[in-house]
Amino acid sequence: MPIRPSRWILPAVPIAVALAALTACTSPAPAPTPIATTKPVLENEEQALAAVTSAYEDFQRLSTLILSEGGSGPERIEAVASPALSKIEQEAFAEVARDGLSVTGEPRVQSVQVLSWFGYPDAIGVIASAAFCVDISAVDVLASDGRSLVGADRPASSSWVAEFALLEGQNALVVHSRDKREGDCA
């Protein structure tokens, strides 16, 4: 008995030849276009130090101004703080206003130590963190009757750790969070 090719093999041969011819005549797929990356926000530790120092001093200056005005205009802090920190600070300013307090004098940043920095913001927008030593010896908290509420045993400086973020559409860092460290500056 003669062997006959299956009726499925004969039609498949021209299809295979046609596919081979098509692939032989086509050029390789173009290489994917690289995704354009933006320039890093912070490129080195020196730049990080300058950025966090400036952002913290802006925050401190505006916060002190609001406190010196008895807590009025608390929404101004939104220009230098993340939304979450702005809310916390505005609640504190409202307390100051409610209690009739005010602040005199200016705190001064004595030293800054960058703890971490990244070229690009992390998942929650944080781009750097730093420790600050702030001279508060010239700062006084006054009651509504003008009497000082600062105890004689208050340290001359305070220590803080802050995180910084770059908010959407802004070119400058803002304070994302800040926490007072125990004791005065070492």
Side-chain angles (χ1 to χ4, degrees):
M1 172 180 249
I3 299 178
R4 286 196 212 189
S6 164
R7 59 183 166 151
W8 296 107
I9 293 178
L10 288 176
V13 171
I15 292 172
V17 170
L19 284 175
L22 284 174
T23 57
C25 295
T26 60
S27 60
T33 305
I35 297 172
T37 58
T38 59
K39 181 180 173 189
V41 177
L42 300 173
E43 294 181 355
N44 55 51
E45 190 166 350
E46 183 178 305
Q47 192 179 48
L49 177 62
V52 300
T53 301
S54 176
Y56 195 80
E57 286 176 339
D58 289 348
F59 172 85
Q60 187 174 265
R61 190 173 11 266
L62 188 53
S63 179
T64 302
L65 176 63
I66 295 167
L67 290 169
S68 72
E69 296 171 352
S72 66
E75 68 284 346
R76 294 177 285 173
I77 203 71
E78 294 170 5
V80 294
S82 69
L85 183 58
S86 291
K87 182 179 179 192
I88 292 166
E89 293 296 316
Q90 287 180 41
E91 289 169 1
F93 297 145
E95 238 179 87
V96 166
R98 184 183 63 244
D99 294 344
L101 305 177
S102 65
V103 171
T104 62
E106 292 283 328
R108 300 273 180 230
V109 172
Q110 290 179 312
S111 65
V112 181
Q113 177 188 7
V114 174
L115 302 175
S116 64
W117 66 274
F118 314 101
Y120 300 94
D122 68 8
I124 60 170
V126 172
I127 196 153
S129 66
F132 294 85
C133 178
V134 180
D135 177 357
I136 57 171
S137 61
V139 176
D140 199 1
V141 179
L142 304 175
S144 59
D145 62 4
R147 140 183 80 81
S148 176
L149 299 176
V150 174
D153 59 343
R154 179 185 75 180
S157 59
S158 61
S159 183
W160 296 85
V161 172
E163 292 183 319
F164 299 85
L166 185 67
L167 298 182
E168 186 88 24
Q170 290 189 347
N171 293 326
L173 298 183
V174 297
V175 179
H176 177 71
S177 67
R178 72 181 192 130
D179 295 299
K180 185 154 180 12
R181 293 166 73 175
E182 288 300 312
D184 58 355
C185 301

